[in-house]
Amino acid sequence: MQDVGAWGIDLTMPQSLLLALHLRDAAGLAPPTSPVLPDLPPLDPPVQRLHVEAGLEAASRQWADWWVERFPGGADALTSILPPRYPGLRGRTELRGIAELGMDDAVAWCARVREIEKRVIARSPSALFETNLVSGVERELGWRIRPFDLRILVLPVAGAHAWDVVGQPVISLGLRADRDAYLAWLREQLVAIGRLRIARSEGQNT
């Protein structure tokens, strides 16, 4: 987490969501979208497919329900999807069967993605870039941005994309890896934060 003075930017790639996305792609699930579940592209790197034929429609609905319940990830979300009990999959028979079949592959794939993440971070903008970006936005707005903590979820899906998921910023690892694109996207977030907070301050003073 980059934390400078009164602001912080935290980029995180939750293990629970990675495991779930692996199961989605490995089984060929097509979960229905919702405000909490955008139409996320396939994973990158792609995953090896499981031999699953029956119950895919039910498993897709169950997967979407799990995602809505557990987003944006965290310790409880991870525990819910892990063996041997898979507590978050209780009553979701088809999805649990897929998890039992594919969890070992999912864990191994996640380890590969963590190595890719390390390489991306090593090439990504340093804290100084983000500090300078905040300062530049403050000069543009004409006021200091009030204290904030910006938590950004990073998902290793194909392409360079960004989503606002019920107020939670989500970006692809591809966007994170593209320095110019990431900084342009981050600038938009900072401008929105600065304008929102000054608007709230003015509203409280009226």
Side-chain angles (χ1 to χ4, degrees), residues 125-140:
S126 66
L128 180 60
F129 279 91
E130 294 172 344
T131 301
N132 290 341
L133 190 59
V134 171
S135 298
V137 169
E138 289 177 335
R139 288 194 299 272
E140 177 183 336

Side-chain angles (χ1 to χ4, degrees), residues 98-109:
I98 291 171
E100 291 175 344
L101 184 62
M103 188 56 67
D104 287 345
D105 287 346
V107 171
W109 179 88

Side-chain angles (χ1 to χ4, degrees), residues 2 27 68 98 129 152 169:
Q2 169 58 24
V68 170
I98 291 171
F129 279 91
I152 304 168

Side-chain angles (χ1 to χ4, degrees), residues 21 28 41 63 71-72 84 96-97 123 130-131 144 182 184 188 193:
L21 286 168
W63 191 97
F71 184 86
R96 174 164 177 159
R123 301 192 306 265
E130 294 172 344
T131 301
R144 296 291 301 274
Y182 167 68
E188 293 177 358
I193 289 171

Side-chain angles (χ1 to χ4, degrees), residues 17 20-21 24 29-38 56-71 88-89 92 95:
L17 302 187
L21 286 168
R24 179 200 69 169
L29 301 181
T33 60
S34 71
V36 185
L37 176 56
L56 291 180
E57 184 175 347
S60 295
R61 292 194 302 269
Q62 294 163 7
W63 191 97
D65 290 343
W66 179 91
W67 182 278
V68 170
E69 291 173 4
R70 303 296 176 171
F71 184 86
L89 306 185
R92 294 165 176 161
L95 183 56

